[in-house]
Amino acid sequence: MTSRRPATEWLADAVLYQIYPQSFADSDGDGIGDFAGAEAKLDHLARLGVNTVWFNPCFASPFRDAGYDVSDYLTVAPRYGTNDDLVKFVDAARSRGIRVLLDLVAGHTSDEHAWFKASADDPADQRYIWADTDAPPPGFVASPGTRPGFYQPNFFESQPALNFGHARKDPDEPWRLPIDAEGPRANRRALRDIMDHWLSLGLSGFRVDMAASLVKDDPGHVETAKLWRELRGWLDNSHPHAALLSEWGDPAVSVPAGFHADFFLQFGAQNDGLYLRSLWNNFAGTVSDPWTPQTPYFDASGEGSARTFLDGWSAARDAIGDAGFIALPTANHDFSRLACGPRTAEQLPAAFAFQLTWPTLPAIYYGDEIGMRYVPGLPDHEGSRLGPRYNRAGSRTPMQWDDTPNAGFSTAPADRLYLPLDPDTNRPTVAAQQADPDSLLNLVRRLIALRRATPDLGPAGSTEVLHDGYPLAYVRGGRYLVVVNPSGVHADAAAPKDTATPVVASGVTVSGGRISADSFGYGIFEL
């Protein structure tokens, strides 16, 4: 059973697992995943060893942006089941020691939300950002109701931005409201009400979508940070066990702003997500046009550098101190999977050996534990395509459970699946890897078990980097040497001792004061 420990305590032991609910497991044969299907797969998560699940948005929605366009925050989408089905999943997960987080879309709603429909017909309503002007300000959209003027969307036009006020006045934009206006105050109250509703039903917290987007024209996110610190104060008093994780992409800013943790992401900070991209992104999957091509550290060529990530992590850690955590994902619903383009299955173990021993909170994207690949060439679906080379659908394909039709994801006809399956006839499955003691799945299990049993490998253990080239070598807690060689050639480095005892290792040895690492080798050693 999960305890009611404060989030500041239990998060230190967290191994996160992200479920894209549409694609995880379908129980009713309609081709779309649901809560009952996910519940039936909880034993897989328990065996894997993860202890915290994060669901992508599962609220009522017209799904123009895959659920990030919410039409009712207090009701789950019928495609996934009912509120009772979600509570049943939460209870079943809790019985296995697994907490459940929901995705809170805080900065905008769907244009089909009752709040927006009312606002579009009421010139006095302040819940959204409206400009009563003759011509639309840049990025604004014409009112769909009887109210004159234009509204500001946060992302797609169907996602009107909730009004949390503007940090600065502008005489050329008299429609800007201060942060203490009635509309912004009502929206802050609504966030508390939404969180209180779900936490009272047994949920353990939230991952907050676009958390930096709330207060507009907010240099340095000063007012946005005040807003989140206010909400964090309420949360600590009312639900001290509940965690608040952000999609901000800049832990050095977001954790001091009140979040328990933030992710290194493919965007964020001053370098547009370079810390994460410098590890994994090989420009073969989701690619944003402004990104400058660069070889990631986890690349067979051995031409990448770990220094970008190490420097970014060190700076963020120094800014955060003991106030919270940095989370490091394998991938997510917006970003390429580890198995993408030229990165092959034999390269994945070293990536997991690093991710599960570095002093960050590991977040495993569903299917990455078996090496599911980013599937190129898929059609745009529910707003998945963001640019000519940026189609998120490739990271959202159905979970591959076994070799039965539709890989065990659904009994629906193949043409009714949420997205097509990976067409590769050699696609990995949970069933096949479960039976193979040398599989990636079983390695990830062993690494998670080792991490959870060894505090020195968690976020609190000390970290000393011995070699930042190939191989990457570091010591955790003064006791455990970790070595990863993501390159396709042999590499070596000096060892801190003449010999070390392997705990989990493949292709790496320590002898005579030297580390010898074969291509794609990895190892955790006790000193």
Side-chain angles (χ1 to χ4, degrees):
M1 297 291 290
T2 57
S3 74
R4 304 293 284 182
R5 285 191 296 161
T8 48
E9 294 182 8
W10 67 257
L11 269 173
D13 303 323
V15 178
L16 304 170
Y17 188 91
Q18 180 185 350
I19 292 178
Y20 192 68
Q22 297 95 315
S23 298
F24 194 61
D26 171 25
S27 71
D28 59 9
D30 66 354
I32 298 176
D34 47 48
F35 294 129
E39 183 183 346
K41 301 299 185 181
L42 274 170
D43 286 343
H44 166 67
L45 302 184
R47 284 193 298 268
L48 185 60
V50 298
N51 55 13
T52 308
V53 162
W54 154 38
F55 274 118
N56 283 96
C58 52
F59 306 117
S61 169
F63 290 98
R64 296 191 185 97
D65 186 19
Y68 282 95
D69 46 332
V70 177
S71 58
D72 182 351
Y73 286 101
L74 303 183
T75 304
V76 303
R79 61 161 54 170
Y80 304 131
T82 66
N83 285 19
D84 288 342
D85 292 328
L86 174 55
V87 171
K88 190 168 179 286
F89 176 89
V90 171
D91 290 343
R94 184 184 298 113
S95 72
R96 294 165 170 83
I98 298 172
R99 292 177 171 84
V100 183
L101 310 180
L102 295 185
D103 205 313
L104 178 61
V105 185
H108 55 263
T109 68
S110 163
D111 58 2
E112 295 187 16
H113 197 290
W115 296 344
F116 184 72
K117 290 181 178 180
S119 189
D121 288 330
D122 181 1
D125 184 272
Q126 300 180 348
R127 297 295 290 273
Y128 297 85
I129 301 172
W130 290 93
D132 185 8
T133 54
D134 294 332
F140 279 55
V141 180
S143 171
T146 60
R147 178 178 189 159
F150 307 87
Y151 70 89
Q152 182 177 3
N154 243 5
F155 199 60
F156 294 137
E157 290 187 1
S158 59
Q159 295 166 308
L162 286 163
N163 194 350
F164 291 92
H166 283 72
R168 301 189 292 192
K169 295 180 178 180
D170 185 337
D172 294 329
E173 298 181 350
W175 40 265
R176 292 186 178 208
L177 294 178
I179 58 173
D180 59 352
E182 174 52 33
R185 290 203 311 271
N187 286 330
R188 293 200 300 273
R189 290 194 299 268
L191 288 181
R192 291 196 298 269
D193 291 344
I194 293 163
M195 289 192 282
D196 187 66
H197 172 80
W198 293 109
L199 294 172
S200 297
L201 293 176
L203 277 298
S204 292
F206 301 90
R207 174 266 195 190
V208 180
D209 177 65
M210 292 182 66
S213 74
L214 273 58
V215 178
K216 304 303 183 185
D217 192 13
D218 184 17
H221 301 292
V222 173
E223 296 299 334
T224 301
K226 289 180 183 177
L227 183 157
W228 285 116
R229 282 195 290 269
E230 172 190 311
L231 285 169
R232 170 67 182 275
W234 166 81
L235 194 71
D236 286 347
N237 287 327
S238 302
H239 302 278
H241 69 282
L244 204 58
L245 283 64
S246 64
E247 184 200 35
W248 195 305
D250 193 356
V253 174
S254 55
V255 172
F259 287 91
H260 291 95
D262 185 20
F263 299 84
F264 277 145
L265 295 170
Q266 69 279 4
F267 66 90
Q270 297 300 312
N271 56 25
D272 196 19
L274 185 59
Y275 302 139
L276 179 70
R277 292 188 284 112
S278 72
L279 291 178
W280 314 134
N281 189 56
N282 55 22
F283 282 76
T286 51
V287 179
S288 180
D289 288 341
W291 293 347
T292 300
Q294 91 171 36
T295 302
Y297 181 71
F298 283 83
D299 190 80
S301 68
E303 296 175 356
S305 171
R307 199 68 258 167
T308 299
F309 172 82
L310 295 174
D311 289 346
W313 167 79
S314 180
R317 177 203 57 188
D318 290 346
I320 291 169
D322 295 330
F325 305 95
I326 304 166
L328 179 63
T330 57
N332 61 51
H333 59 291
D334 290 334
F335 187 58
S336 305
R337 292 184 176 277
L338 286 178
C340 178
R343 188 175 294 123
T344 59
E346 63 181 340
Q347 296 173 251
L348 303 183
F352 272 103
F354 168 74
Q355 194 232 11
L356 288 165
T357 59
W358 192 254
T360 44
L361 299 185
I364 298 170
Y365 186 52
Y366 83 98
D368 279 358
E369 71 272 25
I370 59 171
M372 279 178 58
R373 72 178 186 121
Y374 174 89
V375 180
L378 295 180
D380 178 75
H381 188 58
E382 295 187 349
S384 65
R385 185 175 292 278
L386 301 182
R389 297 183 61 196
Y390 207 121
N391 187 355
R392 301 176 290 175
S395 292
R396 301 175 175 183
T397 55
M399 181 68 173
Q400 296 156 197
W401 294 104
D402 53 41
D403 289 328
T404 61
N406 297 330
F409 162 70
S410 172
T411 59
D415 61 0
R416 289 184 55 201
L417 299 184
Y418 176 75
L419 280 169
L421 281 163
D422 182 350
D424 190 338
T425 55
N426 293 318
R427 62 187 177 224
T429 68
V430 171
Q433 292 201 9
Q434 204 163 269
D436 177 4
D438 297 323
S439 67
L440 178 65
L441 174 62
N442 280 310
L443 171 64
V444 173
R445 283 178 183 164
R446 291 194 296 274
L447 290 170
I448 291 174
L450 177 62
R451 179 188 178 92
R452 293 185 61 184
T454 312
D456 284 334
L457 296 177
S462 64
T463 306
E464 179 189 1
V465 176
L466 304 178
H467 190 258
D468 63 6
Y470 293 91
L472 177 63
Y474 49 96
V475 174
R476 298 298 322 279
R479 296 180 53 208
Y480 293 93
L481 170 67
V482 181
V483 180
V484 293
N485 180 22
S487 79
V489 298
H490 182 273
D492 59 21
K497 290 189 174 182
D498 286 345
T499 60
T501 304
V503 179
V504 177
S506 175
V508 176
T509 57
V510 177
S511 179
R514 299 294 297 176
I515 297 167
S516 175
D518 293 342
S519 59
F520 313 133
Y522 61 89
I524 298 110
F525 300 83
E526 190 165 8
L527 296 174

